[in-house]
Amino acid sequence: MNSRAESPWVKWPLMRAKANSFPVIMLIATALIALSFSLRVGGLEARALTIDEATIASFVEGVLDKGYPYIYVSTMEVPLATYELVPYFLALSVKLGGFSEFTLRLPALLFSTGVLSLIFWISLRRFGLAAAMIAGLLYSLSTWSIYWSQNAFHPAQTQFFTLLTATAVYHLLQQEKVRLRFALLVWALFTVTYLSWEGSGFLLPVMGVIVLIFKRDNLAWIFQRNLWVMYLLVILTLVAQGVRRVVLQQPHLMLGSGKGDVSLPQLGFLKDSWEPGFYFINFFGMETHLITGAVFLLGAYYAWKRPTLRFYYLVFLITLLCLSNFLLFYNAHYVFFIYPFFIISVGAILTFLIEDVTRLTARVRAPAATVVASFNLAALLLMAVMSMNSNLIHFYSIGNLGHLGFRSDYRDGFAGVDYRKVSATLKQGYREGDKVISMAPMPTKLYSGITPDYFLQTITDRKIVYDRNLDSPFYRDKFLGTVVLRSDRELQDVLNQNNRVWLVASPWNAMTLVIDADTLQFVQRSMRVVDESYDARLFLWQK
């Protein structure tokens, strides 16, 4: 894992030895950051907030109100039991700039910029300036990265702290005698990462395997006293977070299941829902990863030969295996937190390939061979970089397990659910005494300022809560605690008791997951469509 073993022409010491190297490097880094920032900042307000973003935004209001993230579900105060640190960064941005889509998403943009800076610095130190430039371009242009840098949910934040944690572990492996301060730094960084998203806990088994691979000739290194302190603190962090989560959820009676029920890894091959190839198919088959994915897989030769590259290469592959086999709530964006390891690996592999081909053609001393090789290398490099952005080269995904829902994160221009437009129409047409049924209570409240009265769900797809504190208890939705209508008969009762009833049906394409066919037909037959937008419809019923 010694970076000095890498090729002479890409080594950092030689670059640093030149009198003008530091200004040049800083100029290149600044240009990459400016490119990345310019591709991202303009889209912070382009799309409406997703339901995940609106949920986190609701907890941000709790931070600003009481200093910790919470919401009220009916009469019950519900503190945030996962993604605990995410609302604090958003709250700081909102505190400084006011409550808006821009300020909610600004932290994600800043974290993405931080990730780019780390990718450039790591690639520069480990593999040289050429690898740093290539990796920086790949990440800056990546459509997938651009999307999540414009999203207020956890992925950008988790990615940043994951890369910091892994970098600290890398340096930890360089120390024959581990310093306590450095071991504590690794624990602190892991804690921040884990409290950004619990799925990042898979870093523990991944890093465990990495340590065994790189310290296989010196296993006594693992049992140093300072490392035992770190192990104990990590275990205490996991236990404390798990206990807190159970304690917070225990008082609430809930019906249904969800991601919140999964607190520990599961053996996938024992479950019917096991799909061991899910992440490999969705990631390497994504249209923006067809070329770079092939480079990554074919670059296994370089990962085998070069220990420094092997670290980043194996972190990515082993994490994919862990997610595929031990986390059975599959979602393509769960891979995003280890995306920089893929980017760094591809940048290094392309650099090594260029170097080896250049050496080979130099030995042959045939001008024609040099021209052909140079042309092919330039074409490969150009295709790899441009293919990362769907606006530059347009491919089609060859592998997308889309049965979990439509993905809008891998191609620029894909529209998500437009809660914003239908909520604006609701706000404009709402009259005192109207009742509102919303399939997305938090976005509806956030954009319209109107708290919905009901949530319609005749098929138990999402968790609902039973509020025992009321004189007349009802099942309540888990977002705001609105009354759940569980059948078409209950829906008809609400319509008959009121003069005007609105229905915010978004996401419209997911309605069949929560509403049976008869109720959906009744809605379409009895209620009038007032407005519609991307995957969203606004209905109105009036006597």
Side-chain angles (χ1 to χ4, degrees):
M1 294 183 64
N2 189 349
S3 60
R4 294 181 180 178
E6 308 298 351
S7 174
W9 75 279
V10 293
K11 288 197 301 182
W12 164 247
L14 287 182
M15 297 301 303
R16 186 175 56 187
K18 295 182 178 181
N20 65 341
S21 62
F22 184 74
V24 170
I25 290 170
M26 290 302 298
L27 180 62
I28 294 172
T30 302
L32 285 172
I33 291 174
L35 173 64
S36 174
F37 197 86
S38 65
L39 290 173
R40 289 158 169 75
V41 68
L44 291 183
E45 297 178 297
R47 289 180 292 268
L49 295 174
T50 65
I51 195 165
D52 288 327
E53 291 179 286
T55 301
I56 289 296
S58 299
F59 283 101
V60 168
E61 294 176 336
V63 174
L64 296 174
D65 180 35
K66 293 186 178 181
Y68 61 90
Y70 78 94
I71 57 173
Y72 272 104
V73 177
S74 186
T75 62
M76 302 170 287
E77 182 181 295
V78 180
L80 185 60
T82 184
Y83 320 119
E84 288 93 333
L85 293 185
V86 176
Y88 289 98
F89 293 97
L90 273 61
L92 177 60
S93 177
V94 169
K95 184 73 172 178
L96 295 175
F99 200 94
S100 66
E101 292 170 338
F102 184 90
T103 54
L104 286 170
R105 288 168 169 166
L106 182 59
L109 172 60
L110 297 179
F111 280 122
S112 177
T113 305
V115 169
L116 172 62
S117 302
L118 287 173
I119 288 174
F120 184 86
W121 177 76
I122 291 169
S123 299
L124 182 67
R125 294 297 302 268
R126 308 285 174 252
F127 311 112
L129 182 58
M133 292 174 60
I134 295 172
L137 280 172
L138 292 175
Y139 188 82
S140 297
L141 295 175
S142 169
T143 302
W144 203 34
S145 171
I146 291 173
Y147 176 88
W148 287 109
S149 66
Q150 298 169 343
N151 190 290
F153 202 36
H154 73 81
Q157 177 176 323
T158 306
Q159 185 185 84
F160 176 77
F161 288 114
T162 296
L163 188 54
L164 275 181
T165 303
T167 302
V169 172
Y170 180 93
H171 286 284
L172 194 72
L173 290 170
Q174 310 304 307
Q175 302 176 13
E176 288 301 323
K177 187 175 181 180
V178 175
R179 298 190 296 273
L180 179 60
R181 285 187 298 178
F182 211 89
L184 294 177
L185 174 64
V186 172
W187 161 72
L189 289 173
F190 169 77
T191 299
V192 174
T193 306
Y194 186 67
L195 294 181
S196 298
W197 179 51
E198 292 173 19
S200 63
F202 280 106
L203 281 175
L204 292 178
V206 170
M207 290 304 168
V209 173
I210 293 293
V211 169
L212 291 176
I213 291 174
F214 285 97
K215 292 296 183 181
R216 60 187 179 276
D217 297 327
N218 182 23
L219 292 179
W221 181 90
I222 302 172
F223 302 101
Q224 295 184 54
R225 181 178 62 182
N226 290 340
L227 287 178
W228 278 108
V229 174
M230 183 185 72
Y231 301 152
L232 178 60
L233 290 173
V234 168
I235 292 172
L236 288 175
T237 298
L238 297 176
V239 171
Q241 199 279 342
V243 170
R244 177 181 180 273
R245 185 175 184 176
V246 172
V247 169
L248 290 177
Q249 292 180 344
Q250 191 64 36
H252 310 300
L253 293 176
M254 294 190 176
L255 179 64
S257 60
K259 291 180 287 186
D261 297 326
V262 180
S263 56
L264 294 172
Q266 299 174 311
L267 295 177
F269 57 84
L270 299 178
K271 305 290 184 178
D272 293 335
S273 59
W274 182 43
E275 294 186 32
F278 177 87
Y279 290 107
F280 290 92
I281 293 172
N282 273 275
F283 184 84
F284 290 106
M286 193 187 305
E287 61 188 40
T288 53
H289 295 154
L290 294 180
I291 294 179
T292 51
V295 170
F296 179 87
L297 295 174
L298 295 175
Y301 165 79
Y302 290 112
W304 177 261
K305 291 291 185 180
R306 300 171 183 265
T308 306
L309 173 60
R310 194 184 309 156
F311 176 85
Y312 299 96
Y313 196 92
L314 288 179
V315 167
F316 185 79
L317 280 184
I318 297 172
T319 306
L320 280 187
L321 289 171
C322 287
L323 291 173
S324 300
N325 293 283
F326 304 116
L327 182 62
L328 299 188
F329 272 91
Y330 296 109
N331 196 315
H333 81 257
Y334 286 171
V335 180
F336 188 71
F337 80 109
I338 54 166
Y339 194 41
F341 299 91
F342 171 80
I343 297 292
I344 291 170
S345 298
V346 172
I349 290 168
L350 286 171
T351 300
F352 297 148
L353 178 62
I354 293 171
E355 175 191 359
D356 288 348
V357 172
T358 302
R359 280 209 196 95
L360 183 62
T361 54
R363 291 176 184 174
V364 174
R365 295 182 179 179
T370 301
V371 172
V372 172
S374 300
F375 176 81
N376 288 326
L377 286 176
L380 173 62
L381 183 59
L382 186 64
M383 288 285 289
V385 171
M386 293 182 65
S387 68
M388 295 293 284
N389 191 289
S390 60
N391 290 323
L392 299 178
I393 297 182
H394 195 98
F395 290 111
Y396 290 93
S397 297
I398 61 174
N400 181 19
L401 298 179
H403 60 277
L404 297 182
F406 174 75
R407 289 182 59 191
S408 60
D409 60 349
Y410 64 88
R411 186 186 297 175
D412 185 40
F414 276 167
V417 185
D418 188 5
Y419 302 104
R420 182 168 49 195
K421 185 172 182 292
V422 292
S423 296
T425 304
L426 170 65
K427 182 178 181 179
Q428 184 178 11
Y430 182 83
R431 301 175 187 171
E432 187 176 354
D434 287 0
K435 297 298 181 182
V436 177
I437 305 170
S438 178
M439 309 306 298
M442 283 184 168
T444 299
K445 181 181 178 182
L446 193 66
Y447 278 117
S448 69
I450 300 169
T451 301
D453 303 286
Y454 300 99
F455 179 81
L456 179 60
Q457 178 172 266
T458 64
I459 302 173
T460 307
D461 176 72
R462 301 173 187 171
K463 272 187 175 181
I464 56 178
V465 184
Y466 190 73
D467 190 350
R468 296 172 291 181
N469 300 327
L470 299 172
D471 294 333
S472 298
F474 286 96
Y475 281 110
R476 303 279 177 158
D477 81 84
K478 67 175 183 178
F479 301 105
L480 294 179
T482 57
V483 175
V484 177
L485 304 178
R486 297 169 295 164
S487 66
D488 59 345
R489 184 171 181 176
E490 291 185 358
L491 172 60
Q492 292 179 43
D493 288 342
V494 170
L495 298 181
N496 293 332
Q497 294 169 12
N498 296 278
N499 293 322
R500 285 163 47 101
V501 178
W502 299 85
L503 171 61
V504 181
S506 54
W508 172 252
N509 291 324
M511 290 284 282
T512 54
L513 298 176
V514 296
I515 299 177
D516 62 88
D518 292 339
T519 303
L520 189 56
Q521 288 179 5
F522 174 79
V523 168
Q524 292 177 300
R525 185 175 62 251
S526 306
M527 306 184 78
R528 177 171 58 92
V529 176
V530 177
D531 192 16
E532 62 180 310
S533 187
Y534 300 107
D535 202 13
R537 295 185 184 181
L538 178 65
F539 291 88
L540 174 63
W541 181 91
Q542 50 188 344
K543 287 183 179 179

